[in-house]
Amino acid sequence: MKKNRTTGLAIVAVLSVALLSGCEAPSLTKLLSGTDSSQSETSTPASGTTGEGSGDGKAKPQQEETGKPKPASLRETITMVEGVPTVTNPTDLSVVVNKQRALPADYIPPDLVEPNVPFPFDEKVEKRFMREAAAKALEELFAKAKLDGIELYAVSGYRSYKTQKSLYETYVKTQGAEHAAAYSAVPGKSEHQTGLAMDVSGADAQTRLEEPFGETPEGKWLAAHSAEYGFIIRYLKGKEAITGYSYEPWHLRYVGKEMAQDIMAKGMTLEDYLTDEGSAQKQ
């Protein structure tokens, strides 16, 4: 794994405007240069704001009967920040970000690195990055796929708030608000900003980031094996009413091996799994 770590708010400050999911961003040199500029749109939690989260704003994991911590529930990990339902656990591997749950506006993952896997482009841009645990797991997944004769490419990982803002606005302008709402997140509510997601494709550009990818050998292999490496297919077919997004067989989300295997074995969404009881394991 390449140890090119991003550095604080300097990264967001120099990110260029993205176009589509194959957007171009600044060079890696600029990303790591520490160039000072104005920060992307942020909001500061108002003092005294309250919500459904615990009193100190931190989720408190429940305990299994065996004493093993459960992942915190959806209800336990949300609070209101300036009128926006905002997650209180942005760095947790189980964080749920969707149309109803935003990241803190100034959130940047703390440990972004570049996984040593093939990309279908050469530019050193932000979408090459993931959080360290997810990047290591992606390397292992790609290595096993190669042994099985499956050729995979990492297409789009981390996206900053500014990149997602541009991407969403471009979708609205070029394909309409309805299409944008089905396939793209508004800024602050994208899983890509967590650094735990990666869009993956095969060698065939025709099925790249398209629903038919799910019927390719690569798409079927991912559905069958991604959980072994801690990933889930985040947006499942038939679960659009729960996730808020159309089926995306290319969108991998890292949650850790145990949780991923449980979620995928039961055909659940991450939202279903993290019920108010702390997890949906008992269903």
Side-chain angles (χ1 to χ4, degrees), residues 172-203:
V172 171
K173 290 178 182 177
T174 61
Q175 302 187 52
E178 184 176 352
H179 181 91
Y183 288 98
S184 184
V186 299
K189 295 183 178 181
S190 171
E191 267 208 339
H192 285 278
Q193 192 180 341
T194 69
L196 296 170
M198 178 63 77
D199 292 337
V200 176
S201 79

Side-chain angles (χ1 to χ4, degrees), residues 155-233:
V155 177
S156 186
Y158 170 68
R159 291 186 204 138
S160 67
Y161 181 99
K162 289 183 71 175
T163 295
Q164 189 64 34
K165 183 175 185 291
S166 177
L167 174 63
Y168 185 80
E169 291 174 350
T170 299
Y171 267 126
V172 171
K173 290 178 182 177
T174 61
Q175 302 187 52
E178 184 176 352
H179 181 91
Y183 288 98
S184 184
V186 299
K189 295 183 178 181
S190 171
E191 267 208 339
H192 285 278
Q193 192 180 341
T194 69
L196 296 170
M198 178 63 77
D199 292 337
V200 176
S201 79
D204 180 15
Q206 296 298 315
T207 59
R208 185 167 294 156
L209 306 187
E210 297 290 342
E211 187 171 323
F213 174 71
E215 297 304 316
T216 66
E218 296 87 352
K220 292 179 179 179
W221 189 94
L222 286 174
H225 297 285
S226 61
E228 298 168 16
Y229 301 90
F231 292 93
I232 60 174
I233 307 297

Side-chain angles (χ1 to χ4, degrees), residues 254-268:
Y254 185 73
V255 295
K257 291 181 181 180
E258 184 176 351
M259 189 184 299
Q261 290 171 359
D262 206 13
I263 290 173
M264 292 293 282
K266 295 175 179 177
M268 306 177 79

Side-chain angles (χ1 to χ4, degrees), residues 74 77 87 89 94-98 101-102 191 234 253 270-271 274:
L74 298 179
T77 55
V87 299
N89 62 335
S94 61
V95 62
V96 176
V97 177
N98 57 29
R101 300 168 61 89
E191 267 208 339
R234 180 66 173 94
R253 160 64 194 275
L270 188 57
E271 285 85 356
L274 297 172

Side-chain angles (χ1 to χ4, degrees), residues 23-68:
C23 58
E24 298 304 330
S27 69
L28 186 60
T29 300
K30 289 184 179 181
L31 282 173
L32 300 175
S33 66
T35 303
D36 190 18
S37 180
S38 60
Q39 186 178 336
S40 64
E41 300 177 25
T42 63
S43 63
T44 302
S47 60
T49 55
T50 60
E52 296 181 288
S54 56
D56 60 2
K58 296 181 180 180
K60 294 179 172 60
Q62 298 181 16
Q63 297 290 316
E64 297 274 12
E65 293 180 2
T66 60
K68 183 177 181 180

Side-chain angles (χ1 to χ4, degrees), residues 88-109:
T88 60
N89 62 335
T91 61
D92 286 2
L93 296 184
S94 61
V95 62
V96 176
V97 177
N98 57 29
K99 292 181 178 180
Q100 290 76 43
R101 300 168 61 89
L103 286 163
D106 59 353
Y107 179 70
I108 301 172

